[in-house]
Amino acid sequence: MTMQLAALEAEYLSGLRAYLEHEGEAGLTHAYEIGRRALSQGVGLLDIAALHYAALDELVLRAPLQDRVRLAQATAAFFNELLAPFELSIEGYRAALAASEERFQLAVSGTTAGLWDWNPQTDAIYFSPHFKRIMGYENHELPNERQAHFGAIHGDDADRVEQALRKHLDERRLYDVEYRVRMKSGEFRWIQSRGQALWNDKGEPYRMVGWIMDITDRKRDEEALRASGEELRRLSGHIQHIREEEKARIARELHDDLGQQLTALKMAASMLEHPGGGGYLSAPKEAFKAMYRMIDQLVDSVRRIAADLHPVMLDDLGLIPAIDALIDEFTARYRIKVTRHIDAEAIAFNRECRIDLFRMVQEALTNIARHSGATEVVLDIVREEPHCVVRVVDNGRGAAQNDRRGRHSFGLLGIRERAALLGGEVSIRTAPGAGFALTATLPLEAVEVRRELR
């Protein structure tokens, strides 16, 4: 027995003997102080129990038989008071442990990430309830087994995940990987998983903790952004190509049409200037009439070229008359019937949107003429609060709904871009042999004249 325990035993026996003689409150207070001091000195409960049994042997069992029951009860009261500091300490530890557990559970339940805790040596693993909810399971439905998650990883991603995990454990590289995992519903969703291992003195990983997050929406946004960027690059290249083609077309028309007419006009004027050469000497009036016809043709050519560059009718008469003229010319050129349902009085189109709407209809009709093989077209421009709806439907050959070549043609890309500039969107409905329906839904506030409040 150490000197510390010997002194404690002597104090315990002295205090208990005094209490057995008087059984006062002071004796119980002394017992509590002995227990508090023993606790602070690190004396264990087994040593305290040994002191108690020694006191029982000396002070109770050696007493007269008629006094033993009373002495045993008093000794029990003294011993219980001595144990009180130990009981309070244990309760404190329990409360602290419970509070710590509550904080952990609050942290786990409050986060948007699902936590996992894995022992690489025993393969024991823990999945938090939110981890399981991310995968579509309730807490009791997914077992805390490694295969429950790793077995659900998409086959194309499994090797990459395993390789990243092995490099982290063996080479201590960063573990941060994105992969697809099969949900309870059977669908695959994208998750991001990050983790950090702990290594012992031998360099062996004995624990790894991490989290997963559902990043499916982010991946879809990234894919949409990538596809949009690709479409914009293609559209930009196409616009440059169209500009060059337009320049070449205008150059040809200026050379072949205006150039020839101006040359003929110059020759006619030259023949009038030099009548000796014959030709118009006997009929100068006829010569002037021919020159006037040439001038009229020149004026028509200039107007046509200018209209192709920018429809003057848009500025002079407005959107609906310009579209009516476009449809009349389209029908005359391609022999395709166009039925119009236009709320001419329902929407007061502002000047800013006219060219975009005109080009959208023009591009849609051009696509029909080039690709659809249609004989009839229905054009709707109607008010459907709070939108203006532009719908072009043909009875042509159509295409598969997921045909990227059709859905992402340059003409449709241009229509989508113009609709987006007005804050709207474009939807397409088609099927092989069922024609093609293009619908642009545009907010009225972007296309209608703003009425000032008075």
Side-chain angles (χ1 to χ4, degrees):
M1 181 181 295
T2 65
M3 294 180 61
Q4 185 182 39
L5 285 177
L8 183 63
E9 181 181 18
E11 184 176 6
Y12 184 78
L13 286 172
S14 173
L16 179 58
R17 185 178 286 109
Y19 177 72
L20 292 177
E21 291 179 359
H22 302 288
E23 295 189 22
E25 189 66 28
L28 294 178
T29 302
H30 187 203
Y32 183 86
E33 287 298 322
I34 294 174
R36 187 183 61 79
R37 194 158 55 251
L39 178 63
S40 66
Q41 294 173 357
V43 178
L45 287 175
L46 291 178
D47 293 327
I48 294 294
L51 296 179
H52 179 64
Y53 285 123
L56 284 175
D57 182 61
E58 182 172 341
L59 301 178
V60 178
L61 295 180
R62 296 180 184 183
L65 184 60
Q66 65 273 18
D67 297 331
R68 289 180 184 177
V69 175
R70 179 185 64 81
L71 294 174
Q73 291 176 345
T75 301
F78 189 87
F79 182 63
N80 287 337
E81 196 66 24
L82 182 142
L83 291 178
F86 288 88
E87 293 176 354
L88 292 174
S89 176
I90 292 173
E91 288 301 319
Y93 288 140
R94 288 175 178 170
L97 183 61
S100 177
E101 179 67 18
E102 284 184 352
R103 284 193 295 270
F104 174 75
Q105 291 300 332
L106 286 172
V108 169
S109 61
T111 183
T112 58
L115 304 183
W116 52 270
D117 189 344
W118 175 50
N119 186 331
Q121 297 181 355
T122 64
D123 213 30
I125 197 167
Y126 164 78
F127 299 129
S128 74
H130 190 64
F131 182 106
K132 299 175 182 180
R133 283 196 294 271
I134 288 176
M135 294 185 63
Y137 294 91
E138 295 299 324
N139 189 32
H140 65 278
E141 293 180 323
L142 190 70
N144 287 322
E145 299 174 359
R146 184 170 180 266
Q147 190 62 20
H149 180 70
F150 280 80
I153 296 176
H154 195 286
D156 294 342
D157 302 335
D159 290 342
R160 179 166 51 84
V161 175
E162 190 66 34
Q163 185 180 15
L165 184 61
R166 185 52 49 197
K167 286 183 177 181
H168 178 71
L169 296 176
D170 295 344
E171 305 174 20
R172 306 196 181 190
R173 296 189 184 182
L174 177 68
Y175 180 76
D176 186 353
V177 62
E178 298 176 357
Y179 54 90
R180 290 160 291 177
V181 66
R182 185 176 59 253
M183 303 289 112
K184 178 184 177 181
S185 62
E187 70 166 325
F188 282 92
R189 293 183 67 85
W190 279 95
I191 66 167
Q192 178 186 15
S193 181
R194 298 189 68 179
Q196 177 61 54
L198 298 174
W199 292 268
N200 58 25
D201 296 338
K202 298 179 181 179
E204 300 170 338
Y206 66 89
R207 188 179 186 185
M208 186 172 178
V209 179
W211 51 259
I212 65 168
M213 289 185 67
D214 189 327
I215 59 170
T216 304
D217 292 339
R218 193 196 80 191
K219 295 292 285 189
R220 287 174 179 169
D221 291 343
E222 289 176 352
E223 176 61 23
L225 184 62
R226 185 200 62 78
S228 177
E230 180 181 340
E231 289 180 355
L232 286 176
R233 287 191 294 272
R234 293 173 58 236
L235 182 59
S236 177
H238 178 67
I239 289 173
Q240 294 298 327
H241 178 69
I242 290 297
R243 284 176 177 172
E244 295 302 321
E245 284 191 341
E246 187 69 7
K247 290 178 181 179
R249 183 187 67 80
I250 294 173
R252 285 195 301 270
E253 291 192 4
L254 290 175
H255 179 271
D256 298 342
D257 194 348
L258 295 183
Q260 290 181 7
Q261 293 179 39
L262 287 171
T263 300
L265 184 60
K266 181 180 179 180
M267 292 176 62
S270 176
M271 294 175 68
L272 284 175
E273 183 181 5
H274 304 287
Y280 291 133
L281 179 60
S282 59
K285 290 184 178 181
E286 294 298 324
F288 280 112
K289 289 181 181 180
M291 292 174 67
Y292 292 150
R293 287 194 295 271
M294 293 178 190
I295 293 173
D296 289 339
Q297 292 175 358
L298 282 168
V299 172
D300 290 340
S301 296
V302 171
R303 286 176 176 172
R304 178 174 50 79
I305 294 173
D308 288 342
L309 294 175
H310 181 83
V312 179
M313 192 177 292
L314 272 177
D315 299 325
D316 295 343
L317 301 178
L319 176 65
I320 303 305
I323 289 179
D324 286 336
L326 173 68
I327 292 173
D328 292 340
E329 181 184 354
F330 174 83
T331 300
R333 179 180 298 181
Y334 298 107
R335 305 299 180 188
I336 298 176
K337 179 183 177 182
V338 180
T339 302
R340 309 166 220 193
H341 301 134
I342 301 176
D343 292 344
E345 305 298 328
I347 304 174
F349 293 98
N350 59 49
R351 297 181 64 87
E352 291 78 10
C353 76
R354 291 177 183 176
I355 187 63
D356 288 317
L357 285 170
F358 181 86
R359 294 302 187 196
M360 290 167 66
V361 174
Q362 184 182 47
E363 192 64 59
L365 294 177
T366 300
N367 281 346
I368 291 172
R370 290 178 177 175
H371 309 297
S372 72
T375 58
E376 293 185 5
V377 176
V378 177
L379 170 66
D380 298 334
I381 302 179
V382 295
R383 184 188 190 99
E384 295 181 5
E385 295 284 352
H387 298 106
C388 166
V389 177
V390 180
R391 186 180 298 109
V392 184
V393 183
D394 67 58
N395 67 343
R397 63 178 65 93
Q401 183 69 29
N402 59 352
D403 186 353
R404 291 184 61 87
R405 293 173 299 176
R407 293 175 60 84
H408 298 277
S409 68
F410 291 120
L412 292 181
L413 285 178
I415 295 174
R416 290 183 189 277
E417 288 302 313
R418 291 184 183 276
L421 288 173
L422 296 172
E425 58 183 17
V426 173
S427 62
I428 294 171
R429 179 172 48 83
T430 185
F436 199 90
L438 181 147
T439 302
T441 305
L442 311 171
L444 283 170
E445 62 183 15
V447 302
E448 199 168 22
V449 173
R450 296 180 181 177
R451 294 179 174 85
E452 299 293 337
L453 296 178
R454 295 184 179 179

